[in-house]
Amino acid sequence: MTLTRRMFALGTASTLLTAEAAAQVAARALIPFGSAVMISDFRSDAALRDQLARLCDVIVPMNELKWQSLRPNAESFSFKDADEIIQFARRNRKAIHGHTLLWGDFLPDWARQINSAREAERVLVTHIETVAAKYAGVVSSWDVVNEVIAHEPTADKPFRDSVWFRQLGPRLVDLAFQTAARVDPSARLVLNDYDFENPDERTAERRRQALRLVRHLQDRKIPVHEVGLQAHLYGEKPLDARGITAFCRELGRLGVGVRVTELDVIDWKMPGPAAQRDKLIGELTTAFLAAVIEGQRPQAIITWGLSDRSSWIHDVFKRQDGLRARPLPLDEAYRPKPMMAAIEAARRLP
Ligand code: G3I
């Protein structure tokens, strides 16, 4: 409809514009949803591939871009498994989030044995140059560093111990972000970490350290675009909704986005009956995502797997009653659970 002068004069235009604005808000893209997937499940399970294609905007190779997968030895790279997932994601027009360019854990033995700063820098820079260059324009966001904040940080010991930290000290973070930014200036660069959600001092300190690291990078003009909240939520622990919101808001003030990168619910201490557990998990997901969105709209909501068929939680947080864990949005038959509904509703929040 064209707006005539008469409409303006009659005041109709403002009503129309308001309606238009409302329509725009309604049409505003949902917060992208995604999932991580590991190669063995991806290959063996056609139903999983269908669900990934149907539900996800973003796909994350769960383990295939880690050093352990890419670097069987110091001389070469092995991209086969990562490429299989990435090709599927591209064919289905999904965004690809890369996990991860630097992690102190799950390294091949040869990397753990690096014993000089010079060697650590050479190996790290070559790795990031090679991997980020190979996927430039394909991987749209990278967990540049994963879990560099100490589990229980203090002012004198803010960093987690790793071969990288032992050899390079705090500048491992600068080096990783600088290299990633140089090689792929178009990728969103993410500082990814866990335990930002609980109402305790350790968690509050972890959030402060994340903010401190972001400011440190910004002071040095090193790009950092987002903080990744892994969000492996504990079903038996209360959430620090205010703390989460304040954290996300403060990052927003610094011009830094947030991304929910590994959402799932650790249900080992939750009630047994499935319906009751699923309901509580849905409520926890709602409360968590509302707290994030209140602080700022996340770039994506990514779960660490799609269906309860496959999750690290089955191995790491076994229930005493022997019941299977139900940590993810779809059940073992790929039926959506309340957690999926909670995510779908959150994606629509303004
Ligand atoms: O591929 C081998 C297989 O050949 C072998 O038969 C089997 C025997 O256990 O192991 C398989 O590899 C395992 C792989 O998962 C696939 O199942 C590795 O041992 C195991 O260490 C690996 O664990 C992954 C872990 O990271 C370490 O890389 C989990 O799947 C993955 O969910 C977990 O993800 C981490 C994030 O990267 C960082 N944040 C925490 C999150 C959960 O721990």
Side-chain angles (χ1 to χ4, degrees):
M1 175 191 284
T2 18
L3 301 178
T4 61
R5 274 198 191 169
R6 191 175 144 73
M7 281 174 164
F8 273 104
L10 292 172
T12 327
S14 65
T15 326
L16 285 170
L17 289 175
T18 312
E20 246 169 53
Q24 270 174 15
V25 170
R28 185 172 161 188
L30 302 180
I31 297 171
F33 170 71
S35 170
V37 62
M38 67 166 86
I39 191 68
S40 48
D41 296 339
F42 176 81
R43 275 191 194 133
S44 63
D45 189 346
L48 172 62
R49 294 196 296 273
D50 287 350
Q51 296 293 346
L52 289 166
R54 197 170 68 84
L55 294 173
C56 294
D57 309 302
V58 187
I59 289 185
V60 187
M62 185 181 279
N63 297 320
E64 297 67 22
L65 290 168
K66 291 173 181 171
W67 283 64
Q68 213 181 21
S69 309
L70 288 182
R71 305 303 305 279
N73 56 60
E75 291 74 41
S76 62
F77 290 78
S78 149
F79 290 113
K80 188 170 168 290
D81 291 353
D83 280 349
E84 208 174 312
I85 297 176
I86 288 172
Q87 275 156 17
F88 168 86
R90 294 187 79 184
R91 269 201 311 281
N92 288 282
R93 298 179 187 284
K94 311 298 183 191
I96 300 150
H97 176 73
H99 175 82
T100 166
L101 293 171
L102 181 157
W103 190 12
D105 221 336
F106 295 96
L107 287 168
D109 285 343
W110 67 265
R112 284 183 196 281
Q113 283 154 19
I114 294 171
N115 59 11
S116 77
R118 215 164 136 225
E119 184 62 357
E121 177 163 348
R122 188 189 66 77
V123 169
L124 183 61
V125 169
T126 309
H127 178 89
I128 297 178
E129 282 176 349
T130 309
V131 179
K134 172 170 162 73
Y135 294 115
V138 172
V139 168
S140 50
S141 50
W142 273 110
D143 289 336
V144 177
V145 299
N146 183 49
E147 301 176 12
V148 291
I149 299 170
H151 181 70
E152 187 161 6
T154 58
D156 346 327
K157 281 200 167 180
F159 287 96
R160 200 177 176 89
D161 182 49
S162 71
V163 63
W164 309 120
F165 183 72
R166 280 194 297 281
Q167 298 304 335
L168 299 168
R171 89 189 167 90
L172 88 164
V173 178
D174 305 21
L175 201 57
F177 275 90
Q178 248 158 1
T179 311
R182 171 164 57 76
V183 177
D184 185 1
S186 67
R188 309 263 310 165
L189 305 182
V190 183
L191 174 87
N192 194 46
D193 224 306
Y194 67 97
D195 273 0
F196 290 133
E197 302 87 14
N198 309 320
D200 53 43
E201 180 45 34
R202 179 178 75 81
T203 304
E205 184 58 26
R206 292 179 59 76
R207 292 192 296 252
R208 284 194 288 273
Q209 289 299 341
L211 287 166
R212 197 187 56 77
L213 264 175
V214 164
R215 290 195 194 97
H216 162 94
L217 290 166
Q218 291 185 330
D219 288 348
R220 280 160 188 73
K221 311 250 177 298
I222 302 174
V224 50
H225 304 112
E226 299 171 17
V227 167
L229 316 177
Q230 289 189 2
H232 297 294
L233 307 179
Y234 286 84
E236 78 279 15
K237 291 187 190 171
L239 276 181
D240 181 1
R242 278 189 191 184
I244 296 166
T245 300
F247 180 53
C248 295
R249 190 170 287 146
E250 183 58 24
L251 286 166
R253 271 193 212 113
L254 294 170
V256 170
V258 297
R259 170 180 302 253
V260 176
T261 50
E262 304 184 13
L263 178 63
D264 52 23
V265 177
I266 298 167
D267 61 346
W268 63 337
K269 295 184 180 168
M270 297 182 81
Q276 191 186 355
R277 211 183 328 155
D278 289 353
K279 180 168 176 283
L280 292 170
I281 288 173
E283 286 166 4
L284 182 62
T285 304
T286 298
F288 169 68
L289 293 175
V292 171
I293 293 165
E294 178 78 22
Q296 68 161 292
R297 186 181 155 92
Q299 299 297 309
I301 300 170
I302 299 171
T303 53
W304 207 237
L306 206 47
S307 124
D308 292 341
R309 271 178 186 237
S310 174
S311 162
W312 67 294
I313 292 171
H314 294 303
D315 303 322
V316 179
F317 293 95
K318 288 194 196 303
R319 292 178 61 92
Q320 283 199 339
D321 58 13
L323 293 174
R324 287 268 292 169
R326 305 179 63 84
L328 290 165
L330 307 182
D331 72 9
E332 304 221 358
Y334 295 107
R335 286 174 302 230
K337 294 158 52 192
M339 183 178 183
M340 190 76 243
I343 293 170
E344 283 305 325
R347 297 177 67 200
R348 289 183 166 74
L349 288 177

